[in-house]
Amino acid sequence: MTTCANIRLIAYSNELVNGETVYISSNCLPIKVSHFEPAGHSFHDVALKLRGYYEEENVADDKENFPKDKETEYMQSSDSYSSKGKKKSGDKAAQQDHYALLGLGHLRYLATEDQIRKSYRETALKHHPDKQAALLLGEETEAAKQAKKDEIENRFKAIQEAYEVLMDPTRRRIYDSTDEFDDEIPTDCSPQDFFKVFGPAFMRNGRWSVSQPIPTLGDDNTPLKEVDAFYDFWFAFKSWREFPHEDEYDLEQAESRDHKRWMERQNAKLSEKARKEEHARIRTLVDNAYKRDPRILRRKETLKAEKQKKKEAKFMAKKLQEEEAARIAEENRRKKEEEDKLAAEAASNQKKLKEKEKKLLRKERTRLRTISTTVVSNSLLNLSLDDVENICMSLDMLQLRSLCDDMEQKEGDSQSQAELLKHAVNADHIQKDGVVKVNDSQQNGSVKVKVNGSVTKSNFEKKEKPWGKEEIELLRKGIAKYPKGTSRRWEVISEYIGTGRSVEEILKATKTVLLQKPDSTKAFDSFLEKRKPAVTISSPLTTREEVVGVSSTSTSTSTPTRPGVTQPKPSQDVDKVEPVGSSSDQDVWSSVQETALVQALKTFPKETNQRWERVAAAVPGKPVNQCKKQFALLKERFRNTKK
């Protein structure tokens, strides 16, 4: 290295004068200190500037080959401090190191307010222009003195600016966000180096966390509960890091409140993209660590093994269940085969037994025919061959054997054998008559016997009451009126019919009576029943006795009998019958008809459906209009009597 002879050097050693090689060191990034003296090129720059001399060539070479030291940058920071533009300069190369100016380069973002305040007081007292006035005396020219004075003032202004920025939480957060930081994310590592690689990365990025302190990554023996809490914290990581843009607006230059809000919105748009990139960077770090964490991998393998074990257990249980079902099915099949085999054997034995019994029965019948040949040929007691055949067909094998044994004991006595046959014939007739009577009694219905004033049923079941035409018509109308879906449909239809039919009878009738087709052979009879009786005009020669006979006959023929209605006797209202053909024959009411009307009105109250049709059906020989008219007369008569 060449030196100038006319410049007085400071602290040059003999090695430098003789030109020998000297090994020196200087501070390097990212470690920043300010309490060490400069060395190397920085030493020459400071020495020349203190003496007012500059080596332009060396300074240019230094700018090209070596980075500037932070302590020499305070002179350029005054330009950004004095700028009054609406937008920030954003020149990072010209940004001064506030922590280094205050002597807090070893703490940086960890420095507290008390430390910043204390360091500022010491630095400001040391570098105050009044304290640095002695340096001006060492300058020879006025230009050098003015340059030295500007340098001292700019340095003091830089110290004040550093203090203002670091004491303002918002400005300090922005400054710390732009401070030098290693954003590198580990991508891959071996399992044994996981904690060495990812642990420092999490601690380095933890400085941006809003929540402090941050959980540590731990080691291989950390409980899984703490591991889950660590990853939950980082998956929900919230960063306070700011991302100022070089073109963003300076809020201090806002002209009004609205102008400031507009600036804030514009700055937020510029920093949003950087925020998203920062979030993606942190998420990539967490994802890479989660995929390679040996503790998480062991837990996944354990869960996978447990899941596989459960799956195998479920498969084995299903297999055992299927095997058990197959075994039970096989046992049931074998059991059924055995039962079928036993049933077939029993049926075969039963068939053989029946064949044997039939054979014995044929043998006994042949035996009886042979024994009774003499009796039939002599026609003793009017016995014929048909009587013998009837006995053979009516008696079973044991009875035939007993009869044959008795007849063989009396062999030679034809009369006694004939009596035995005659007795067997008579017993057969008695049995047949009893069977016929039982069948007749079952067909005619139950027999009621009155014993000690009480009515008891016979041993035979009561025959179902037949359905009349009116009941069938009411049933059809009820089914149409109350369709499917009606609540308590069949009970309502039973009440609608009003003849005491049960729900079972109605359901049975819907499947039998309503499905019956009308008999074509009885069509004419039904026509005659529905046809109105023809009005006959009595001749002048007709006597009263003849008219009475005709009217009673026509009444009995024209009024069909109804179930449950007492028919009036013709002899009771003979005196009240008028000649047929008179206009007032329907207005005349007999005592029987009035009694039936009153009884029907009591039986069918007002709320009964189709009340007057049912009342007219219960009163013999009276239509609906006559019943209504008679009811009005009876009511009027009752009111007059009461008055």
Side-chain angles (χ1 to χ4, degrees):
M1 181 178 67
T2 60
T3 60
C4 297
N6 57 351
I7 299 176
R8 186 168 61 88
L9 303 178
I10 59 172
Y12 273 133
S13 62
N14 295 328
E15 290 82 1
L16 292 177
V17 175
N18 297 329
E20 297 179 0
T21 303
V22 179
Y23 297 95
I24 61 175
S25 62
S26 64
N27 56 338
C28 58
L29 298 176
I31 300 175
K32 303 174 184 178
V33 294
S34 62
H35 57 277
F36 294 107
E37 292 186 358
H41 293 279
S42 299
F43 175 83
H44 286 284
D45 291 339
V46 173
L48 292 174
K49 290 175 183 177
L50 289 176
R51 294 301 176 185
Y53 295 93
Y54 292 89
E55 291 184 358
E56 300 296 337
E57 184 178 356
N58 293 340
V59 172
D61 295 338
D62 294 341
K63 288 182 180 180
E64 293 177 359
N65 300 326
F66 299 97
K68 294 181 179 180
D69 187 75
K70 293 296 179 179
E71 289 220 349
T72 65
E73 294 179 359
Y74 66 87
M75 292 186 295
Q76 290 84 357
S77 66
S78 61
D79 297 336
S80 62
Y81 176 82
S82 61
S83 62
K84 297 297 181 180
K86 283 190 177 182
K87 290 191 177 181
K88 295 181 180 179
S89 62
D91 188 7
K92 291 187 178 180
Q95 184 177 356
Q96 66 184 12
D97 189 352
H98 300 317
Y99 291 107
L101 284 174
L102 298 180
L104 299 174
H106 61 289
L107 295 176
R108 305 200 71 79
Y109 73 95
L110 298 176
T112 63
E113 291 184 0
D114 294 336
Q115 291 174 340
I116 294 172
R117 190 178 293 107
K118 182 179 179 181
S119 178
Y120 167 72
R121 290 173 181 174
E122 295 176 356
T123 307
L125 184 62
K126 180 179 179 181
H127 296 282
H128 196 274
D130 296 340
K131 297 288 184 179
Q132 301 290 328
L135 297 177
L136 299 177
L137 300 177
E139 303 295 335
E140 297 177 356
T141 63
E142 291 296 332
K145 291 181 179 181
Q146 186 64 31
K148 188 65 177 179
K149 183 179 179 180
D150 293 340
E151 179 184 350
I152 293 173
E153 290 179 355
N154 290 336
R155 183 179 180 85
F156 186 72
K157 290 179 181 179
I159 293 173
Q160 288 181 333
E161 181 184 2
Y163 176 72
E164 291 176 359
V165 170
L166 296 182
M167 289 302 292
D168 188 351
T170 303
R171 297 175 65 184
R172 183 183 179 184
R173 183 170 65 249
I174 296 174
Y175 177 77
D176 290 341
S177 299
T178 57
D179 200 3
E180 294 182 4
F181 179 73
D182 184 11
D183 290 334
E184 184 181 0
I185 298 298
T187 56
D188 197 4
C189 66
S190 60
Q192 58 271 16
D193 296 335
F194 172 78
F195 299 99
K196 296 180 181 179
V197 174
F198 283 92
F202 279 107
M203 293 299 297
R204 185 170 63 251
N205 288 274
R207 63 177 291 186
W208 310 120
S209 176
V210 175
S211 302
Q212 294 290 343
I214 62 171
T216 59
L217 182 61
D219 54 11
D220 197 31
N221 298 324
T222 304
L224 289 176
K225 186 176 181 180
E226 297 181 6
V227 175
D228 292 336
F230 172 81
Y231 283 106
D232 290 341
F233 172 83
W234 280 98
F235 277 121
F237 183 79
K238 292 183 179 180
S239 175
W240 56 263
R241 190 177 185 182
E242 298 288 344
F243 299 94
H245 197 270
E246 60 182 4
D247 294 332
E248 70 179 4
Y249 292 88
D250 188 0
L251 300 180
E252 295 181 356
Q253 303 298 326
E255 298 177 356
S256 63
R257 182 184 302 174
D258 295 336
H259 191 196
K260 183 178 180 181
R261 291 176 180 174
W262 179 83
M263 287 182 177
E264 290 176 351
R265 290 195 296 270
Q266 297 300 322
N267 294 342
K269 291 179 181 178
L270 294 175
S271 61
E272 184 65 25
K273 182 179 179 181
R275 291 181 185 275
K276 292 181 179 179
E277 293 177 354
E278 176 68 8
H279 179 73
R281 188 184 68 84
I282 297 294
R283 188 57 182 262
T284 303
L285 171 64
V286 180
D287 291 340
N288 292 342
Y290 193 81
K291 291 178 182 178
R292 294 167 178 82
D293 195 332
R295 301 164 298 183
I296 301 298
L297 296 178
R298 285 197 299 268
R299 182 172 66 177
K300 288 183 177 180
E301 292 177 358
T302 304
L303 294 176
K304 186 177 180 181
E306 292 179 357
K307 186 177 180 180
Q308 184 66 22
K309 187 176 180 181
K310 290 181 180 179
K311 187 177 180 181
E312 292 177 357
K314 185 177 180 180
F315 176 76
M316 293 300 298
K318 185 177 181 181
K319 186 176 180 181
L320 293 175
Q321 186 177 2
E322 292 177 354
E323 292 178 355
E324 183 68 16
R327 185 184 63 80
I328 294 174
E330 183 66 19
E331 291 181 357
N332 293 335
R333 186 183 62 80
R334 292 178 181 177
K335 186 176 180 180
K336 186 176 181 181
E337 288 180 356
E338 293 177 356
E339 291 177 356
D340 293 342
K341 186 176 180 180
L342 294 175
E345 292 178 356
S348 178
N349 295 334
Q350 187 71 17
K351 184 177 180 181
K352 291 179 181 179
L353 182 61
K354 287 183 179 180
E355 291 178 355
K356 185 177 180 181
E357 290 179 355
K358 289 181 180 180
K359 187 175 180 180
L360 293 174
L361 182 60
R362 288 195 296 269
K363 182 178 179 181
E364 295 298 331
R365 288 175 179 175
T366 304
R367 182 182 174 190
L368 179 61
R369 294 188 187 100
T370 304
I371 296 173
S372 60
T373 303
T374 306
V375 177
V376 172
S377 59
N378 295 329
S379 300
L380 297 176
L381 300 179
N382 295 326
L383 293 173
S384 62
L385 186 59
D386 295 335
D387 296 333
V388 176
E389 290 298 330
N390 291 334
I391 294 173
C392 292
M393 300 305 296
S394 60
L395 300 181
D396 57 7
M397 187 266 296
L398 296 177
Q399 292 176 346
L400 287 174
R401 179 179 293 177
S402 176
L403 180 60
C404 292
D405 292 341
D406 293 339
M407 292 181 69
E408 285 180 352
Q409 290 178 2
K410 297 182 179 181
E411 187 177 0
D413 188 357
S414 301
Q415 188 64 29
S416 300
Q417 291 179 348
E419 291 178 356
L420 291 174
L421 288 174
K422 189 66 174 177
H423 179 70
V425 170
N426 294 334
D428 184 30
H429 288 308
I430 293 171
Q431 185 177 3
K432 287 183 179 180
D433 293 340
V435 172
V436 170
K437 290 181 180 179
V438 170
N439 292 335
D440 293 340
S441 62
Q442 289 179 353
Q443 293 178 359
N444 293 333
S446 60
V447 180
K448 296 183 180 179
V449 182
K450 194 170 184 180
V451 180
N452 297 328
S454 63
V455 179
T456 60
K457 292 184 178 180
S458 65
N459 295 331
F460 303 99
E461 295 182 356
K462 183 178 180 181
K463 189 177 180 181
E464 185 180 355
K465 182 181 178 182
W467 285 75
K469 294 182 180 181
E470 295 181 357
E471 288 182 320
I472 295 174
E473 286 297 325
L474 291 174
L475 177 60
R476 293 182 189 276
K477 293 180 181 179
I479 292 175
K481 187 174 182 180
Y482 304 103
K484 295 180 180 179
T486 306
S487 178
R488 301 178 67 255
R489 182 191 184 195
W490 299 111
E491 289 80 356
V492 173
I493 292 175
S494 176
E495 295 177 359
Y496 176 78
I497 295 174
T499 57
R501 291 287 183 178
S502 62
V503 177
E504 290 78 9
E505 292 177 340
I506 294 174
L507 291 174
K508 186 176 180 181
T510 55
K511 298 177 181 179
T512 56
V513 178
L514 295 181
L515 299 178
Q516 289 180 356
K517 296 182 179 180
D519 192 358
S520 58
T521 58
K522 298 181 179 180
F524 185 72
D525 296 338
S526 61
F527 168 73
L528 293 177
E529 292 179 359
K530 294 179 181 179
R531 188 181 63 175
K532 295 182 179 180
V535 180
T536 56
I537 301 174
S538 58
S539 61
L541 299 177
T542 305
T543 60
R544 181 177 181 84
E545 289 77 5
E546 293 176 353
V547 173
V548 171
V550 172
S551 63
S552 62
T553 305
S554 63
T555 302
S556 61
T557 56
S558 63
T559 305
T561 59
R562 294 178 177 83
V565 179
T566 306
Q567 299 293 338
K569 295 181 180 180
S571 59
Q572 293 179 354
D573 55 345
V574 172
D575 298 336
K576 297 182 181 180
V577 176
E578 295 183 358
V580 178
S582 62
S583 59
S584 61
D585 57 349
Q586 295 183 353
D587 296 337
V588 178
W589 284 71
S590 63
S591 59
V592 176
Q593 290 174 335
E594 290 182 355
T595 304
L597 176 61
V598 174
Q599 187 66 28
L601 291 173
K602 294 179 180 180
T603 305
F604 305 108
K606 292 181 179 180
E607 60 273 7
T608 307
N609 293 327
Q610 296 184 351
R611 182 194 184 195
W612 288 106
E613 287 77 359
R614 299 185 181 184
V615 170
V619 178
K622 294 297 180 181
V624 175
N625 55 353
Q626 292 293 327
C627 293
K628 291 181 179 179
K629 187 176 180 180
Q630 185 64 20
F631 173 69
L633 293 174
L634 292 175
K635 186 163 59 174
E636 185 67 24
R637 188 186 306 170
F638 176 75
R639 290 177 180 175
N640 295 334
T641 305
K642 189 174 182 181
K643 291 179 181 180

